Amino acid sequence: MVASKKEWRFRYPLLVEQILRTGMMSTPIVLLFAGLVGIILVLQTAFQLAQFGRVEMVGALVGVSVTREMGPLMTAIIVSGRVGAAFTAELGTMKVNDEILAAETMAIDPIQFLVVPRYLALILVLPCLTTLSDISALVFALLTGSSLFDVPRLTFMGVAQDWIQTSDILVGALKSAVFGALIAHICCFEAFHLKGGASSVGAATMRAVVLSMVAVLAADAVFAYFTL
Amino acid sequence: MTSSQTEPVIQVLSLVKEYNGKRVLSDISFELYPRERVAIIGPSGGGKSTLLACMIGAAIPEEGEIQLLGETLRPRDRKAMDRLRLRFGVMFQGGALFSSMSIQENVALPIRRHSDLAEETIKILVAMKLNQVGLFAASDRSPEELSGGMIKRAALARAMALDPALLFIDEPSAGLDPIAVAEIDDLLLKQAETHDVAMVVVTHDMTSAYRIANRMIMLYKGRILFDGSPREIQECEDPVVQQFIHGRKDGPISFQESSLDFGKLLLEGE
């Protein structure tokens, strides 16, 4: 068989597979984590607000802090530990096992084949996960506020709605997409540049997770400065 | 084979390769002609894998030139390399099959990527390739479900997927029992004869080398020590060659080079 020349074209199934994998891999832990953060935020703030007779403001406080800051940040950190680590470990193992070299020797660009789908998947999935994370945190905060501090549910939701601005949600989504790009970039880069055997996969994974968390926090600081 | 009419499929000219300032390959030159099956043999650290890496474009030599199938190898020119890579296949030591894919998906991958064939045609081609290596029944299995010999056979099917004119094989017998080695050697021979494929086999298994190759090149300390037929290598009087092909413990090839440093450490406390 003679292979005909075929220009590279994007393979959507690879992207869809990565979106499903990263999304499904992270959704349960993101929901759980965000829910617990929502509970903690209410427990930490409602008691103080009650002392000033403004316990109903807990919805505003939790809503704004979660949508503007906590949601994107904690989701990115969970994803860097969960998905980013998996990226580095998987691609690193492929590098050690010569699978990346095998792709190259078959004239398959490993960046297009292995990195681009992961990159795009994280950029697309992270804002969705952040939205889920925001919802989970608010729902658990609502339940905690209403059951432990007698904040009427409608009041909680009304106050939260008054204080959360559309720009908070949009900036949160934009931040998440940037965080996704940073995590994918660092974790794939570490995998592709590791040298040595199996032990270097572990070291590269650890380095990738730490670096991506630091990069996410640094990027968040930059966002905070420009969205003051 | 010495053919003045036939163009060589591989021409290696004065190749030099260094790693961290240490010369691994020195002045390597040879030619390989169609239907030749050369075994690159030699003790560990002799430069076999580095030579293979240079020939498939995975390592860039400091000096010298490699021509594959009439084209000069330019590892930094991705497009030129990719065009060339469609014409040769590589079978890796550990198989290097994609673990997230089934065996048939692994074999189908290069065909899907580099042809516009219909999916049904690709399926038939893949079935043929897998049947040739006796793995048709295992098409849907993932690499983790296969034995070492089956992985090598699947890797061979993938390397042959685009019907290359030249096949590079890295340590086909590594990690296999003698029966599986014989099976793989037999398959390689069949592929070479059926498809007129020239082969470069890197190995240090002499039984396998004698079975597959019609030419032997022995590397020692980064240089070509011997280049000739299997019969000639057996008649070669070089003590290094004799020690290696007979697998003798005593001889000029030392496996205890580090003991000098160890002695120095003990005496000088360094």
Side-chain angles (χ1 to χ4, degrees), chain A residues 1-6 8-9 11 14 17 90 94 97-110 112-113, chain B residues 56 58 78 82-83 85-86 88 90 92 96-99 101 109-117 125 158 161-163:
Chain A
M1 183 192 64
V2 179
S4 68
K5 279 186 185 174
K6 189 174 182 179
W8 180 79
R9 59 172 183 251
R11 261 73 174 175
L14 292 175
E17 183 193 330
E90 188 181 5
M94 290 178 80
N97 291 340
D98 284 335
E99 289 173 44
I100 290 175
L101 180 58
E104 284 177 349
T105 58
M106 290 187 284
I108 295 169
D109 183 351
Q112 290 169 351
F113 179 48
Chain B
I56 63 172
R78 180 159 204 113
D82 282 352
R83 274 197 304 274
R85 279 169 170 154
L86 296 179
F88 69 79
V90 184
F92 289 87
L97 299 171
F98 296 110
S99 49
M101 297 177 180
L109 181 66
I111 307 174
R112 279 204 184 102
R113 285 265 156 171
H114 301 300
S115 76
D116 293 316
L117 296 173
L125 277 172
R158 191 178 66 178
L162 295 176
D163 289 338

Side-chain angles (χ1 to χ4, degrees), chain B residues 133-154:
Chain B
V133 297
L135 280 181
F136 178 66
S139 305
D140 292 326
R141 289 204 217 162
S142 71
E144 286 97 26
E145 296 172 289
L146 301 185
S147 67
M150 290 165 94
I151 285 174
K152 300 250 183 189
R153 283 189 273 152

Side-chain angles (χ1 to χ4, degrees), chain B residues 54 62 78:
Chain B
C54 289
E62 269 67 35
R78 180 159 204 113

Side-chain angles (χ1 to χ4, degrees), chain A residues 120-162:
Chain A
L120 292 177
L122 264 196
I123 289 173
L124 294 172
V125 163
L126 211 55
C128 302
L129 285 173
T130 299
T131 308
L132 286 177
S133 152
D134 292 348
I135 293 168
S136 175
L138 284 171
V139 167
F140 277 87
L142 168 72
L143 295 175
T144 311
S146 62
S147 57
L148 296 182
F149 297 95
D150 297 326
V151 179
R153 290 180 184 178
L154 282 177
T155 307
F156 184 102
M157 286 191 284
V159 172
Q161 198 177 349
D162 289 343

Side-chain angles (χ1 to χ4, degrees), chain A residues 13-36:
Chain A
L14 292 175
L15 175 62
V16 173
E17 183 193 330
Q18 286 301 325
I19 287 175
L20 291 175
R21 277 182 67 190
T22 52
M24 284 163 67
M25 195 189 276
S26 313
T27 302
I29 186 74
V30 163
L31 291 177
L32 177 67
F33 206 91
L36 291 171

Side-chain angles (χ1 to χ4, degrees), chain A:
Chain A
M1 183 192 64
V2 179
S4 68
K5 279 186 185 174
K6 189 174 182 179
E7 289 301 313
W8 180 79
R9 59 172 183 251
F10 188 72
R11 261 73 174 175
Y12 288 100
L14 292 175
L15 175 62
V16 173
E17 183 193 330
Q18 286 301 325
I19 287 175
L20 291 175
R21 277 182 67 190
T22 52
M24 284 163 67
M25 195 189 276
S26 313
T27 302
I29 186 74
V30 163
L31 291 177
L32 177 67
F33 206 91
L36 291 171
V37 167
I39 293 169
I40 292 164
L41 279 175
V42 172
L43 292 174
Q44 288 288 332
T45 54
F47 181 70
Q48 312 292 337
L49 288 169
Q51 287 185 325
F52 297 102
R54 301 301 304 273
V55 75
E56 74 280 0
M57 290 301 288
V58 73
L61 208 148
V62 173
V64 171
S65 61
V66 162
T67 51
R68 194 179 286 180
E69 199 58 49
M70 296 291 283
L73 191 62
M74 69 185 170
T75 308
I77 286 174
I78 294 166
V79 166
S80 69
R82 190 84 174 86
V83 181
F87 279 5
T88 312
E90 188 181 5
L91 295 177
T93 307
M94 290 178 80
K95 166 112 181 174
V96 169
N97 291 340
D98 284 335
E99 289 173 44
I100 290 175
L101 180 58
E104 284 177 349
T105 58
M106 290 187 284
I108 295 169
D109 183 351
I111 300 294
Q112 290 169 351
F113 179 48
L114 298 168
V115 175
V116 172
R118 286 170 171 79
Y119 213 94
L120 292 177
L122 264 196
I123 289 173
L124 294 172
V125 163
L126 211 55
C128 302
L129 285 173
T130 299
T131 308
L132 286 177
S133 152
D134 292 348
I135 293 168
S136 175
L138 284 171
V139 167
F140 277 87
L142 168 72
L143 295 175
T144 311
S146 62
S147 57
L148 296 182
F149 297 95
D150 297 326
V151 179
R153 290 180 184 178
L154 282 177
T155 307
F156 184 102
M157 286 191 284
V159 172
Q161 198 177 349
D162 289 343
W163 280 79
I164 297 171
Q165 294 173 5
T166 312
S167 62
D168 293 332
I169 297 168
L170 291 178
V171 168
L174 177 67
K175 274 162 69 164
S176 298
V178 172
F179 294 163
L182 281 171
I183 294 165
H185 187 88
I186 291 168
C187 294
C188 293
F189 180 90
E190 284 294 331
F192 269 66
H193 289 83
L194 72 81
K195 284 179 180 148
S199 63
S200 58
V201 176
T205 305
M206 185 191 69
R207 202 167 43 244
V209 171
V210 171
L211 279 175
S212 54
M213 282 181 184
V214 171
V216 162
L217 286 169
D220 196 44
V222 173
F223 267 107
Y225 179 78
F226 284 107
T227 53
L228 275 175

